Amino acid sequence: QVRLVESGGGLVQAGGSLRVSCAASGRTSTIYEMGWYRQAPGKQRELAASISRSGSTNYADSVKGRFTVSRDYAKNTVTLQMNSLIPEDTAVYYCYANAPFRNWGQGTQVTVSS
């Protein structure tokens, strides 16, 4: 079992930046992929960004060029740097880790005002 604790998020104006981080504990040696999903009000949860054990990254088309996912393998953390934020990025952001089954964080709110 892997436990995930998120931090960061909050309220920002459009065009601003925010960072969300997630720290993993427990059986972290079994983690092979980490990343972030997001869920906006009334919408399905969608993948925002992921990063594999080898460092390969994947992004939703809607965040490419604006978001950057990174991972600190020594500290077992994953971070999502979000730049040029737009109101459509408003959502609850959930950290996840595949180890090999999916583990979820509790979610952190990101609100972008216009």
Side-chain angles (χ1 to χ4, degrees), residues 36-40 43-49 60 62-63 88:
W36 296 87
Y37 273 72
R38 65 183 186 179
Q39 187 166 19
K43 295 188 177 181
Q44 287 189 330
R45 193 174 294 192
E46 63 174 3
L47 178 69
S62 59
V63 308
E88 289 75 17

Side-chain angles (χ1 to χ4, degrees), residues 9-96:
L11 173 65
V12 67
Q13 288 189 331
S17 298
L18 278 176
R19 179 183 299 173
V20 289
S21 296
C22 174
S25 60
R27 299 188 65 183
T28 57
S29 62
T30 62
I31 296 174
Y32 63 90
E33 180 179 293
M34 298 185 76
W36 296 87
Y37 273 72
R38 65 183 186 179
Q39 187 166 19
K43 295 188 177 181
Q44 287 189 330
R45 193 174 294 192
E46 63 174 3
L47 178 69
S50 66
I51 183 165
S52 71
R53 180 177 285 170
S54 66
S56 297
T57 57
N58 183 44
Y59 296 94
D61 288 343
S62 59
V63 308
K64 281 180 182 177
R66 301 187 299 119
F67 290 12
T68 302
V69 63
S70 60
R71 192 167 164 183
D72 185 324
Y73 297 89
K75 296 181 179 179
N76 294 307
T77 60
V78 62
T79 298
L80 186 67
Q81 176 67 42
M82 302 179 286
N83 299 327
S84 302
L85 284 160
I86 58 177
E88 289 75 17
D89 293 320
T90 295
V92 177
Y93 284 70
Y94 295 92
C95 172
Y96 77 92

